[in-house]
Amino acid sequence: MAAAMPLALLVLLLLGHKGWCLAEPPRDSLREELVITPLPSGDVAATFQFRTRWDSELQREGVSHYRLFPKALGQLISKYSLRELHLSFTQGFWRTRYWGPPFLQAPSDTDHYFLRYAVLPREVVCTENLTPWKKLLPCSSKAGLSVLLKADRLFHTSYHSQAVHIRPVCRNARCTSISWELRQTLSVVFDAFITGQGKKDWSLFRMFSRTLTEPCPLASESRVYVDITNYNQDNETLEVNPPPTTTYQDVILGTRKIYAIYDLLDTAMINNSRNLNIQLKWKRPPENEAPPVPFLHAQRYVSGYGLQKGELSTLLYNTHPYRAFPVLLLDTVPWYLRLYVHTLTITSKGKENKPSYIHYQPAQDRLQPHLLEMLIQLPANSVTKVSIQFERALLKWTEYTPDPNHGFYVSPSVLSALVPSVVAAKPVDWEESPLFNSLFPVSDGSNYFVRLYTEPLLVNLPTPDFSMPYNVICLTCTVVAVCYGSFYNLLTRTFHIEEPRTGGLAKRLANLIRRARGVPPL
């Protein structure tokens, strides 16, 4: 009887522990998705999103146990009272004119007292950036969509951008409690004519050199979306394999889109062959049509000659036939380009366009850059030019980069606007809609938010001849070596007087021969 008591107690404890686990569901969740979009230029864009949501107020609660949310980021939020964080590494340039509006945007916090904005116009993105990013994923790169993240394929693309977005989201309409959301996004653009060997056909294996084998066991949702908006199945011009389980329709970036859905959690999708390789094949070549022009795109360049003065110019295009809309332009210019603010000019259709809001913060040498922010109204079907003159500063010789003749990079301009929508959009249900749909906040159904970045600029500065120190060192060492060598030779050399000799054996033999011949001796 005494031996049976501990066993019964152990059974009760196990049952109690099991019941407690069932009563306390996990407070965090993971959703992952991949969106494949054939671009108007013939390229293919792939956008990964991994969203981890944790119903915990990290800044108030003393959290010591982390399940899906990365501990390193959770401690960062708690220690520094972080409100939002948007960090991205991008290689290449998103060509809005030919690829359409960018798929991912990261709107910031509008409170300037708590906003910190920084940009590094040049950074070599490599595997050292991708590996820590993948380690933040709950399944790392072992299962789910992350198995496609192969470094040698991702970095040989026309465009590559990886980002981390942290922000608080409300749990209810009154926002009495919040949850922390972590979004890890990765966007790449594959050149279809390179990966497809001159064809517009594509597949997961052709792009990533891998296929999907299993979903992430920690994910509550794992899906692949393929944009089939412009595909007409009636004329049988293309073939999509395997057939999708269902489709999704909605208004994305002002245009109605249709997506084919592949649910990795569906056992019939992967378990039959343990391999999911989505592929699209054109039965006949598609017609070469001009790609649609987006309503908003921009271009930036440097003009002028010489190494003293120059001009920064930004062209803002509004291609909407009858609607005008405002654009918020943000520029950060390095301190070594001294801006002449009185030369700022804004013209639209040959006339002056006065901004409704302008904020300028001058730079401080070696401390902070110039900050210029303007709200500009873009007329319908117009090109607005924003230009400002600058003067190049002369840096200290220790402030130049190892390759100063390559030039110095200037960060791109940032454009934020509510662009008119072609099709009215409906309010978005954040939990029921796909992840890519919740990235586009809409104030009403007639507009959609867009954030664009122009090209980074490369500016040459007055550069001294760094070969002169080398020449001076070589010349100085040569002169010192010649002078010191000669002086040292004079001080250490010993001189001896050499007596003339009467001659050797050869001379005596020659005289004997000369005597025999009757010739005077030498």
Side-chain angles (χ1 to χ4, degrees), residues 202-464:
W202 57 264
S203 66
L204 291 182
F205 184 80
R206 182 172 294 176
M207 291 188 296
F208 301 100
S209 295
R210 292 179 180 177
T211 57
L212 297 173
T213 56
E214 60 179 346
C216 176
L218 300 176
S220 59
E221 180 180 300
S222 182
R223 294 182 177 180
V224 178
Y225 295 84
V226 180
D227 188 357
I228 57 174
T229 304
N230 299 325
Y231 300 158
N232 187 3
Q233 298 291 349
D234 297 334
N235 54 18
E236 297 181 354
T237 58
L238 57 85
E239 180 181 358
V240 182
N241 287 319
T245 56
T246 182
T247 59
Y248 173 78
Q249 300 185 22
D250 207 339
V251 178
I252 306 298
L253 293 175
T255 307
R256 185 169 300 279
K257 297 287 187 178
I258 303 175
Y259 294 91
I261 302 178
Y262 297 88
D263 191 355
L264 301 186
L265 297 181
D266 186 1
T267 56
M269 182 63 63
I270 293 183
N271 288 351
N272 292 338
S273 59
R274 299 293 298 175
N275 179 22
L276 177 60
N277 183 26
I278 304 174
Q279 52 186 338
L280 182 144
K281 295 182 179 179
W282 291 88
K283 294 185 177 180
R284 64 171 181 263
E287 299 179 359
N288 294 326
E289 299 180 355
V293 180
F295 287 154
L296 176 64
H297 61 279
Q299 182 183 1
R300 198 182 190 203
Y301 59 90
V302 179
S303 59
Y305 59 91
L307 293 178
Q308 182 180 3
K309 295 183 179 180
E311 185 177 78
L312 294 175
S313 300
T314 305
L315 301 180
L316 309 178
Y317 295 86
N318 177 12
T319 60
H320 200 283
Y322 55 87
R323 286 194 59 178
F325 54 86
V327 170
L328 185 63
L329 175 64
L330 176 65
D331 258 335
T332 55
V333 182
W335 63 268
Y336 44 78
L337 299 183
R338 308 189 188 281
L339 298 182
Y340 295 148
V341 185
H342 70 281
T343 64
L344 177 63
T345 57
I346 305 175
T347 56
S348 298
K349 295 184 177 181
K351 299 180 180 179
E352 182 182 2
N353 188 346
K354 293 184 178 180
S356 55
Y357 165 80
I358 185 170
H359 170 71
Y360 174 69
Q361 181 177 341
Q364 297 182 17
D365 288 356
R366 300 172 180 84
L367 292 180
Q368 68 179 21
H370 302 270
L371 178 63
L372 181 61
E373 190 176 18
M374 297 177 290
L375 185 62
I376 306 173
Q377 185 75 13
L378 302 184
N381 196 16
S382 65
V383 179
T384 301
K385 181 179 181 181
V386 181
S387 61
I388 186 171
Q389 297 180 7
F390 65 89
E391 181 180 0
R392 296 172 171 88
L394 183 63
L395 304 180
K396 297 179 181 179
W397 73 275
T398 56
E399 295 174 342
Y400 286 90
T401 58
D403 52 347
N405 293 311
H406 177 75
F408 293 79
Y409 283 89
V410 180
S411 59
S413 300
V414 184
L415 304 176
S416 303
L418 289 176
V419 180
S421 177
V422 178
V423 183
K426 299 180 180 179
V428 176
D429 188 349
W430 289 60
E431 294 301 324
E432 299 297 331
S433 301
L435 294 178
F436 66 86
N437 201 357
S438 60
L439 286 174
F440 315 111
V442 179
S443 57
D444 52 25
S446 60
N447 299 312
Y448 61 93
F449 178 80
V450 169
R451 173 159 291 167
L452 304 178
Y453 298 87
T454 63
E455 306 94 331
L457 302 179
L458 188 62
V459 179
N460 290 324
L461 295 181
T463 305

Side-chain angles (χ1 to χ4, degrees), residues 15-40:
L15 290 176
H17 179 69
K18 182 177 180 181
W20 175 78
C21 292
L22 294 176
E24 292 288 338
R27 301 170 60 185
D28 51 2
S29 60
L30 170 66
R31 295 175 61 186
E32 59 177 10
E33 71 178 27
L34 168 62
V35 182
I36 301 177
T37 307
L39 301 176

Side-chain angles (χ1 to χ4, degrees), residues 86-98:
H86 303 279
L87 176 64
S88 62
F89 291 92
T90 303
Q91 186 179 32
F93 174 66
W94 183 272
R95 306 182 183 278
T96 308
R97 174 65 177 81
Y98 304 99

Side-chain angles (χ1 to χ4, degrees), residues 505-515 521-522:
L505 179 61
K507 186 176 181 181
R508 291 196 295 267
L509 291 177
N511 289 332
L512 291 175
I513 296 174
R514 291 173 70 89
R515 289 194 189 99
L522 296 176

